[in-house]
Amino acid sequence: MKYSTKLSDALHILVFLSLGTNQRPTSARIAKSVKTHPAYIRQLMAVLKNAGIISNTQGQANATLTREPCEITVFDVYRAVEGNKPLLHWDVDTNPECGVGIYIQLTIADFYQEIQETAEKKMRSITLQAIIEKYYSKLTRLD
Amino acid sequence: MKYSTKLSDALHILVFLSLGTNQRPTSARIAKSVKTHPAYIRQLMAVLKNAGIISNTQGQANATLTREPCEITVFDVYRAVEGNKPLLHWDVDTNPECGVGIYIQLTIADFYQEIQETAEKKMRSITLQAIIEKYYSKLTRLD
DNA sequence: TTGAGATGTTATTATAAAAATTACATGTTG
DNA sequence: CAACATGTAATTTTTATAATAACATCTCAA
């Protein structure tokens, strides 16, 4: 399949909103920046709105963050756009007849869960604020 | 796309080899346990062999681990089968005309790298030995 | 009140990464 | 030599995702 870039694109949207250019944040303008289709942006924004991360009104291009960038974490956005989809996938379809098969995968699932929690903890520690700051520093000095 | 289960399947193979049943570990037998195609198992085993995790001889079904299960980590297997593929993917194809576009994604890439390293550190801490032990404990008591 | 322009939402199509499968060369052993 | 195994490349199928289309609904200003 294609790789999911939903998290990246959703973060892109949030940074775009934070920058607050003098132009209204229409789905068309954001789509141009992300280089994608406006409808896809609207879909992501609907999800972000549903998760309470942004607010919006139909008919108007007035999307804004519902809270400060320092209070929005990468994990909030990940959960919003990816739901419960994990980073690693165990093999659901093994042979149930073979005792080894299913129990190995269930064991692997346990360890994947540990890896997931570790990654999620890290995601919780990264705020939109941090992303914006690093973005600005990239703009000024080229590091 | 489909989700990759290469890591899970490769770990499955390694546990299968560790268990050391009285039957030879042919790709056909392992495939039956994983419920997949023998050629796919051979492909994964070729990768594991190439990474120095197992040894094998063509024509014989004599695959074995090259080192103790406590010296093989989940990360070793991840690197072997997934190469440099990361857990999270930033959006490579943004608008270069829009300063926001590419620099946001480069910034996101930096933070993804941090998340990646955190997850990899965790993966390094999980050994095949630990998986085998947990597997056995699942077999005996049902937890 | 009407029209331009915006979001909201569903459905369909295209893309791409992965597993499944095929085919066959090559190696091993009895 | 025959049966059976791995090694490997090529092709096909599957499937999660992005792209796109279509249209309802909302907002605002002329």
Side-chain angles (χ1 to χ4, degrees), chain A residues 12-139:
Chain A
H12 194 134
I13 292 170
L14 296 179
V15 173
F16 192 99
L17 293 180
S18 303
L19 298 185
T21 62
N22 42 7
Q23 297 185 311
R24 281 174 308 136
T26 64
S27 62
R29 286 211 182 86
I30 301 175
K32 207 167 186 178
S33 175
V34 181
K35 197 172 169 184
T36 183
H37 202 279
Y40 174 60
I41 295 296
R42 290 200 293 275
Q43 284 165 1
L44 284 177
M45 289 179 83
V47 166
L48 291 172
K49 184 180 182 178
N50 196 50
I53 295 172
I54 66 174
S55 71
N56 218 357
T57 15
Q58 185 173 0
Q60 301 181 68
N62 66 350
T64 51
L65 305 182
T66 57
R67 48 186 198 269
E68 294 302 309
C70 64
E71 288 177 334
I72 298 172
T73 73
V74 169
F75 179 70
D76 295 332
V77 185
Y78 173 79
R79 190 44 38 99
V81 298
E82 298 286 13
N84 287 315
K85 198 189 85 174
L87 295 169
L88 289 170
H89 298 263
W90 48 288
D91 195 337
V92 183
D93 187 30
T94 49
N95 190 347
E97 310 267 326
C98 173
V100 182
I102 186 60
Y103 284 112
I104 287 182
Q105 289 302 317
L106 289 175
T107 304
I108 289 172
D110 282 357
F111 286 106
Y112 280 8
Q113 181 58 28
E114 286 185 21
I115 296 168
Q116 184 72 28
E117 282 163 12
T118 301
E120 289 184 0
K121 185 179 174 189
K122 184 70 183 177
M123 285 194 237
R124 268 188 257 265
S125 76
I126 302 171
T127 65
L128 181 59
Q129 179 72 33
I131 294 176
I132 293 167
E133 284 171 6
K134 185 161 230 166
Y135 162 72
Y136 272 124
S137 80
K138 269 193 197 300
L139 273 192

Side-chain angles (χ1 to χ4, degrees), chain B residues 28-96:
Chain B
R29 285 211 183 85
I30 300 175
K32 207 167 187 179
S33 175
V34 180
K35 197 173 168 183
T36 183
H37 203 280
Y40 173 60
I41 295 295
R42 290 200 294 273
Q43 283 165 2
L44 285 177
M45 289 179 82
V47 165
L48 291 171
K49 185 179 181 178
N50 196 49
I53 296 173
I54 67 173
S55 71
N56 219 356
T57 15
Q58 185 173 357
Q60 301 181 70
N62 66 351
T64 51
L65 305 182
T66 57
R67 49 186 197 269
E68 295 302 309
C70 64
E71 288 177 333
I72 298 172
T73 73
V74 170
F75 180 70
D76 294 332
V77 185
Y78 173 79
R79 190 44 37 101
V81 297
E82 299 286 12
N84 287 315
K85 199 191 86 175
L87 295 169
L88 290 170
H89 298 265
W90 48 287
D91 196 338
V92 183
D93 187 29
T94 49
N95 190 347

Side-chain angles (χ1 to χ4, degrees), chain A residues 1 8-9 89 91 112 138, chain B residues 1 8-9 89 91 110 112:
Chain A
M1 80 190 156
S8 306
D9 295 333
H89 298 263
D91 195 337
Y112 280 8
K138 269 193 197 300
Chain B
M1 78 187 158
S8 305
D9 295 333
H89 298 265
D91 196 338
D110 282 357
Y112 280 7

Side-chain angles (χ1 to χ4, degrees), chain B:
Chain B
M1 78 187 158
K2 289 182 175 180
Y3 295 132
S4 173
T5 55
K6 276 188 279 199
L7 177 58
S8 305
D9 295 333
L11 288 170
H12 194 133
I13 292 170
L14 296 179
V15 174
F16 191 99
L17 293 181
S18 304
L19 296 186
T21 61
N22 41 8
Q23 297 185 310
R24 281 174 308 137
T26 64
S27 61
R29 285 211 183 85
I30 300 175
K32 207 167 187 179
S33 175
V34 180
K35 197 173 168 183
T36 183
H37 203 280
Y40 173 60
I41 295 295
R42 290 200 294 273
Q43 283 165 2
L44 285 177
M45 289 179 82
V47 165
L48 291 171
K49 185 179 181 178
N50 196 49
I53 296 173
I54 67 173
S55 71
N56 219 356
T57 15
Q58 185 173 357
Q60 301 181 70
N62 66 351
T64 51
L65 305 182
T66 57
R67 49 186 197 269
E68 295 302 309
C70 64
E71 288 177 333
I72 298 172
T73 73
V74 170
F75 180 70
D76 294 332
V77 185
Y78 173 79
R79 190 44 37 101
V81 297
E82 299 286 12
N84 287 315
K85 199 191 86 175
L87 295 169
L88 290 170
H89 298 265
W90 48 287
D91 196 338
V92 183
D93 187 29
T94 49
N95 190 347
E97 311 267 326
C98 173
V100 182
I102 186 59
Y103 283 112
I104 287 182
Q105 289 301 318
L106 289 176
T107 303
I108 289 172
D110 282 357
F111 286 105
Y112 280 7
Q113 182 58 27
E114 288 185 20
I115 295 168
Q116 184 73 29
E117 281 164 11
T118 300
E120 288 183 0
K121 186 179 173 189
K122 184 70 183 177
M123 285 195 240
R124 269 188 257 265
S125 77
I126 302 171
T127 64
L128 181 59
Q129 178 74 32
I131 295 176
I132 293 168
E133 284 172 6
K134 184 162 230 166
Y135 162 72
Y136 272 124
S137 80
K138 268 195 198 299
L139 273 192
T140 53
R141 56 189 168 81
L142 301 180
D143 57 1

